[in-house]
Amino acid sequence: NAGVTQTPKFRVLKTGQSMTLLCAQDMNHEYMYWYRQDPGMGLRLIHYSVGEGTTAKGEVPDGYNVSRLKKQNFLLGLESAAPSQTSVYFCASSTPGLREGSSYNEQFFGPGTRLTVL
Amino acid sequence: AQSVTQLGSHVSVSEGALVLLRCNYSSSVPPYLFWYVQYPNQGLQLLLKYTTGATLVKGINGFEAEFKKSETSFHLTKPSAHMSDAAEYFCAVSASLFNKFYFGSGTKLNVKP
C-alpha cells in the first residue's frame, strides 16, 4: 500500500515552459487536493476534486489547471510557468465523512514535488 | 470563513523541556482541528485530530492537544522534548464542505541538546 505518491520529486523549468505533476493514490479516496507550500505561508489550496471527472478552485488557482480522469489520479498542470510558481507542491487525499460533505477526516499527503522556475 | 493563526514561527526548547506550540482558529461553524508534523524534505504526517467528544486529544509520539472553544484555541503540547521532535508543525482547521483544510503558517521546533 503506497498511499499517496507524486511524480516527479524535483523539477527545474524555464519561464514559459509547461509541465504536469502527477498524483496517485491507492486508498480509493473520493477527495483529492493540490497545495503549494511557501516559506512562512503554510500550505495553500490550489485546486481540489471531490470525485472522478470533477474539479474545483481553491485559494490560489491562477496559473494552474487540473484534471481527474481516473479516481486514483489527480494531475496538476502549469501551462506557462512563472518564477512566482517556484514552490513545493503537495498532493493529498481523503474520504468523505459518514455524512456526505462532512469534514472530519484527515488528509493523507504525498512526499511533495520541489519545483524551481528560472 | 475559516482561518488559523500559529503564534511563533520558530520555537526553541531544550531536550527534556516542555513543548508548547500555539494554535488559534476562526470558524463560523463547529470546527474540526488537526495537527500535522513535517520532517525535512518530507510530506505531512498526522499527529492528532479533534472532531467531537473529549476535548483533550492524544496523538502519536507523546503529543497531545486541548480544544478550548471559549478561547478558540487548540495548542499542542508534549511534556518532555526529544531531539527527534525537531520538525515543522502545522495546525489546520476543516469546517467546510468537501473536507477542505485551512492551514496555519507553521512553527519550526528546534530542540537543543
Side-chain angles (χ1 to χ4, degrees), chain A residues 5-80:
Chain A
T5 57
Q6 293 183 232
T7 309
K9 289 185 169 51
F10 303 93
R11 186 73 185 267
V12 178
L13 291 179
K14 294 181 180 178
T15 297
Q17 287 184 318
S18 64
M19 78 164 294
T20 300
L21 283 66
L22 171 63
C23 175
Q25 53 95 3
D26 60 3
M27 297 175 283
N28 202 34
H29 285 170
E30 289 293 329
Y31 298 168
M32 296 186 75
Y33 313 83
W34 275 108
Y35 294 91
R36 61 176 289 171
Q37 182 183 24
D38 302 293
M41 301 188 75
L43 279 76
R44 292 179 293 168
L45 183 64
I46 305 172
H47 285 282
Y48 65 101
S49 168
V50 299
E52 185 177 315
T54 73
T55 63
K57 293 180 180 180
E59 224 182 322
V60 289
D62 294 343
Y64 305 95
N65 57 76
V66 289
S67 65
R68 184 128 181 244
L69 300 179
K70 294 183 179 181
K71 185 177 182 179
Q72 63 267 34
N73 295 337
F74 195 28
L75 278 63
L76 178 71
L78 286 73
E79 289 186 349
S80 179

Side-chain angles (χ1 to χ4, degrees), chain B residues 54-80:
Chain B
T55 56
L56 182 62
V57 180
K58 295 187 185 300
I60 62 171
N61 302 337
F63 284 93
E64 61 182 37
E66 186 171 11
F67 170 60
K68 292 187 176 181
K69 184 178 179 180
S70 61
E71 298 178 9
T72 61
S73 69
F74 191 56
H75 302 329
L76 182 71
T77 60
K78 181 174 180 178
S80 176

Side-chain angles (χ1 to χ4, degrees), chain B residues 96-109:
Chain B
S96 65
L97 284 176
F98 308 122
N99 210 22
K100 288 192 291 182
F101 279 22
Y102 297 85
F103 284 88
S105 54
T107 298
K108 285 188 178 175
L109 176 65

